[in-house]
Amino acid sequence: MKKLSFLLIALLAVTLFTSCNKDDDNVNKQTFGDTLYSRTIDGNNVGFSQSAVKVELDLNNRLISITWEYKDNHQQSRVLSAYNMKLQLSSGNVYKFNDATATASGFEQLEGYFDFDTYMISFKYMVDGKQVYSTTNLAYVYVQTEIINPENNNEGEHEKSAYVFIPDATGETCEMRIFNFTPNLSGTVEAAEIQYKNLKLTPTTTGYVITADEAESSYKGFYTITDLHIILDDQCRTLAGTFECNDLVFTIQGRTFQAR
């Protein structure tokens, strides 16, 4: 897909993970580290934490191993791990995995997804009787954008843009990156990558809510957005929201992984 070609360059090299190496003895083994964002659900209370995760891929045998730091709602931490989980094709280039023996490691009912196109990982598990949802940077590759000029109701739509959200360490703000930004009705790309920082982030039991009355872009003096309201739902698998830019109203809907 043309849309994924720039993501593999821009997201994987800069945004999605910190390092990647191949085993010298077997080029089909890969290891990389990333930042993990977790929500611990305790009734209606949601605790947020940021930690490190290490992922090991055995491509010959289609296995994935994960080691990560878990922080509870009091920010007490311990290291958890799940080894040699079988990668099973879900759809496209997305694979699912689970760990049936996780109870012995201090957690249970682990299951998740790994996307070989974006190297994004998303998984859930139970620990200390609480449900935890963890993801690396939230990359929404499959997005439909509708744009309307409210003055004359002219409109356009496209599927060129992708959105990435990067929470801060506190879970109170985030950065939004838009790839292939098209602030016009024609669908013409005007910015290969544009960034908006310090957006308000609210963790919820099903994902996050991202808002801003106004946000300046990384293109100083251009592409200021207003009235931003985005909901990451279905445990961060789906995206829906609106914002205004260049006197146009944008409505976006999308998902992290291909339809399952």
Side-chain angles (χ1 to χ4, degrees), residues 86-104:
K86 190 68 177 178
L87 289 167
Q88 300 176 314
L89 182 63
S90 177
S91 65
N93 218 8
V94 177
Y95 288 75
K96 59 184 178 180
F97 57 85
N98 63 76
D99 188 350
T101 63
T103 302

mmCIF file of all heavy atoms in Angstrom, residues 86-104:
data_model
loop_
_atom_site.group_PDB
_atom_site.id
_atom_site.type_symbol
_atom_site.label_atom_id
_atom_site.label_comp_id
_atom_site.label_asym_id
_atom_site.label_seq_id
_atom_site.Cartn_x
_atom_site.Cartn_y
_atom_site.Cartn_z
ATOM 1 N N LYS A 86 2.820 -17.858 20.210
ATOM 2 C CA LYS A 86 2.627 -18.127 18.794
ATOM 3 C C LYS A 86 1.898 -16.970 18.122
ATOM 4 O O LYS A 86 0.870 -16.505 18.615
ATOM 5 C CB LYS A 86 1.813 -19.414 18.615
ATOM 6 C CG LYS A 86 1.755 -19.904 17.176
ATOM 7 C CD LYS A 86 3.128 -20.386 16.703
ATOM 8 C CE LYS A 86 3.059 -20.951 15.277
ATOM 9 N NZ LYS A 86 4.410 -21.373 14.810
ATOM 10 N N LEU A 87 2.442 -16.484 17.014
ATOM 11 C CA LEU A 87 1.793 -15.447 16.220
ATOM 12 C C LEU A 87 0.851 -16.109 15.219
ATOM 13 O O LEU A 87 1.269 -16.920 14.391
ATOM 14 C CB LEU A 87 2.836 -14.610 15.475
ATOM 15 C CG LEU A 87 3.684 -13.671 16.347
ATOM 16 C CD1 LEU A 87 4.873 -13.154 15.549
ATOM 17 C CD2 LEU A 87 2.848 -12.512 16.862
ATOM 18 N N GLN A 88 -0.417 -15.767 15.310
ATOM 19 C CA GLN A 88 -1.433 -16.343 14.436
ATOM 20 C C GLN A 88 -2.038 -15.233 13.588
ATOM 21 O O GLN A 88 -2.427 -14.189 14.106
ATOM 22 C CB GLN A 88 -2.520 -17.035 15.249
ATOM 23 C CG GLN A 88 -1.997 -18.174 16.112
ATOM 24 C CD GLN A 88 -3.070 -18.787 16.981
ATOM 25 O OE1 GLN A 88 -3.857 -18.083 17.619
ATOM 26 N NE2 GLN A 88 -3.121 -20.114 17.006
ATOM 27 N N LEU A 89 -2.115 -15.459 12.293
ATOM 28 C CA LEU A 89 -2.608 -14.438 11.379
ATOM 29 C C LEU A 89 -4.027 -14.022 11.738
ATOM 30 O O LEU A 89 -4.914 -14.858 11.911
ATOM 31 C CB LEU A 89 -2.564 -14.953 9.937
ATOM 32 C CG LEU A 89 -3.007 -13.958 8.859
ATOM 33 C CD1 LEU A 89 -2.079 -12.750 8.815
ATOM 34 C CD2 LEU A 89 -3.052 -14.638 7.496
ATOM 35 N N SER A 90 -4.224 -12.697 11.856
ATOM 36 C CA SER A 90 -5.559 -12.154 12.104
ATOM 37 C C SER A 90 -6.147 -11.622 10.809
ATOM 38 O O SER A 90 -7.199 -12.059 10.361
ATOM 39 C CB SER A 90 -5.490 -11.044 13.152
ATOM 40 O OG SER A 90 -6.755 -10.466 13.353
ATOM 41 N N SER A 91 -5.446 -10.657 10.193
ATOM 42 C CA SER A 91 -5.842 -10.136 8.882
ATOM 43 C C SER A 91 -4.703 -9.292 8.344
ATOM 44 O O SER A 91 -3.943 -8.698 9.120
ATOM 45 C CB SER A 91 -7.120 -9.287 8.973
ATOM 46 O OG SER A 91 -6.887 -8.126 9.751
ATOM 47 N N GLY A 92 -4.578 -9.258 7.031
ATOM 48 C CA GLY A 92 -3.526 -8.449 6.429
ATOM 49 C C GLY A 92 -2.165 -8.858 6.950
ATOM 50 O O GLY A 92 -1.755 -10.012 6.819
ATOM 51 N N ASN A 93 -1.483 -7.928 7.584
ATOM 52 C CA ASN A 93 -0.169 -8.190 8.172
ATOM 53 C C ASN A 93 -0.221 -8.075 9.697
ATOM 54 O O ASN A 93 0.793 -7.813 10.335
ATOM 55 C CB ASN A 93 0.863 -7.207 7.602
ATOM 56 C CG ASN A 93 2.207 -7.867 7.367
ATOM 57 O OD1 ASN A 93 2.346 -9.088 7.485
ATOM 58 N ND2 ASN A 93 3.208 -7.071 7.057
ATOM 59 N N VAL A 94 -1.417 -8.275 10.257
ATOM 60 C CA VAL A 94 -1.637 -8.209 11.693
ATOM 61 C C VAL A 94 -1.777 -9.621 12.255
ATOM 62 O O VAL A 94 -2.518 -10.443 11.708
ATOM 63 C CB VAL A 94 -2.896 -7.388 12.030
ATOM 64 C CG1 VAL A 94 -3.152 -7.383 13.531
ATOM 65 C CG2 VAL A 94 -2.764 -5.973 11.505
ATOM 66 N N TYR A 95 -1.053 -9.877 13.358
ATOM 67 C CA TYR A 95 -1.064 -11.202 13.984
ATOM 68 C C TYR A 95 -1.515 -11.087 15.433
ATOM 69 O O TYR A 95 -1.192 -10.121 16.123
ATOM 70 C CB TYR A 95 0.329 -11.826 13.924
ATOM 71 C CG TYR A 95 0.724 -12.274 12.541
ATOM 72 C CD1 TYR A 95 1.096 -11.345 11.568
ATOM 73 C CD2 TYR A 95 0.707 -13.625 12.183
ATOM 74 C CE1 TYR A 95 1.444 -11.747 10.288
ATOM 75 C CE2 TYR A 95 1.054 -14.038 10.905
ATOM 76 C CZ TYR A 95 1.421 -13.091 9.966
ATOM 77 O OH TYR A 95 1.757 -13.492 8.694
ATOM 78 N N LYS A 96 -2.240 -12.090 15.900
ATOM 79 C CA LYS A 96 -2.684 -12.120 17.288
ATOM 80 C C LYS A 96 -1.847 -13.127 18.068
ATOM 81 O O LYS A 96 -1.237 -14.042 17.503
ATOM 82 C CB LYS A 96 -4.165 -12.465 17.380
ATOM 83 C CG LYS A 96 -4.565 -13.793 16.768
ATOM 84 C CD LYS A 96 -6.069 -13.983 16.826
ATOM 85 C CE LYS A 96 -6.486 -15.295 16.157
ATOM 86 N NZ LYS A 96 -7.961 -15.484 16.199
ATOM 87 N N PHE A 97 -1.820 -12.952 19.388
ATOM 88 C CA PHE A 97 -1.065 -13.855 20.247
ATOM 89 C C PHE A 97 -1.726 -13.906 21.618
ATOM 90 O O PHE A 97 -2.501 -13.019 21.984
ATOM 91 C CB PHE A 97 0.396 -13.400 20.371
ATOM 92 C CG PHE A 97 0.559 -11.995 20.894
ATOM 93 C CD1 PHE A 97 0.577 -11.726 22.258
ATOM 94 C CD2 PHE A 97 0.669 -10.917 20.011
ATOM 95 C CE1 PHE A 97 0.723 -10.428 22.729
ATOM 96 C CE2 PHE A 97 0.813 -9.615 20.483
ATOM 97 C CZ PHE A 97 0.843 -9.376 21.845
ATOM 98 N N ASN A 98 -1.419 -14.952 22.391
ATOM 99 C CA ASN A 98 -1.900 -15.040 23.762
ATOM 100 C C ASN A 98 -0.960 -15.919 24.571
ATOM 101 O O ASN A 98 -0.154 -16.664 23.999
ATOM 102 C CB ASN A 98 -3.343 -15.565 23.822
ATOM 103 C CG ASN A 98 -3.461 -16.978 23.289
ATOM 104 O OD1 ASN A 98 -3.078 -17.939 23.957
ATOM 105 N ND2 ASN A 98 -3.989 -17.113 22.073
ATOM 106 N N ASP A 99 -1.054 -15.827 25.890
ATOM 107 C CA ASP A 99 -0.206 -16.592 26.792
ATOM 108 C C ASP A 99 -1.082 -17.349 27.771
ATOM 109 O O ASP A 99 -1.630 -16.774 28.698
ATOM 110 C CB ASP A 99 0.756 -15.666 27.539
ATOM 111 C CG ASP A 99 1.793 -16.438 28.346
ATOM 112 O OD1 ASP A 99 1.642 -17.665 28.477
ATOM 113 O OD2 ASP A 99 2.743 -15.815 28.839
ATOM 114 N N ALA A 100 -1.215 -18.649 27.550
ATOM 115 C CA ALA A 100 -2.071 -19.470 28.401
ATOM 116 C C ALA A 100 -1.400 -19.822 29.719
ATOM 117 O O ALA A 100 -2.059 -20.299 30.644
ATOM 118 C CB ALA A 100 -2.450 -20.753 27.662
ATOM 119 N N THR A 101 -0.100 -19.573 29.852
ATOM 120 C CA THR A 101 0.623 -19.945 31.077
ATOM 121 C C THR A 101 1.020 -18.729 31.895
ATOM 122 O O THR A 101 1.893 -18.803 32.744
ATOM 123 C CB THR A 101 1.885 -20.739 30.721
ATOM 124 O OG1 THR A 101 2.775 -19.898 29.958
ATOM 125 C CG2 THR A 101 1.539 -21.964 29.901
ATOM 126 N N ALA A 102 0.376 -17.592 31.661
ATOM 127 C CA ALA A 102 0.820 -16.331 32.253
ATOM 128 C C ALA A 102 0.618 -16.260 33.759
ATOM 129 O O ALA A 102 1.285 -15.493 34.434
ATOM 130 C CB ALA A 102 0.094 -15.159 31.591
ATOM 131 N N THR A 103 -0.296 -17.037 34.315
ATOM 132 C CA THR A 103 -0.593 -16.936 35.744
ATOM 133 C C THR A 103 0.658 -17.120 36.598
ATOM 134 O O THR A 103 0.846 -16.435 37.608
ATOM 135 C CB THR A 103 -1.653 -17.986 36.150
ATOM 136 O OG1 THR A 103 -2.825 -17.778 35.357
ATOM 137 C CG2 THR A 103 -2.011 -17.847 37.620
ATOM 138 N N ALA A 104 1.537 -18.009 36.173
ATOM 139 C CA ALA A 104 2.762 -18.264 36.929
ATOM 140 C C ALA A 104 3.694 -17.061 36.926
ATOM 141 O O ALA A 104 4.583 -16.957 37.760
ATOM 142 C CB ALA A 104 3.484 -19.478 36.358
#
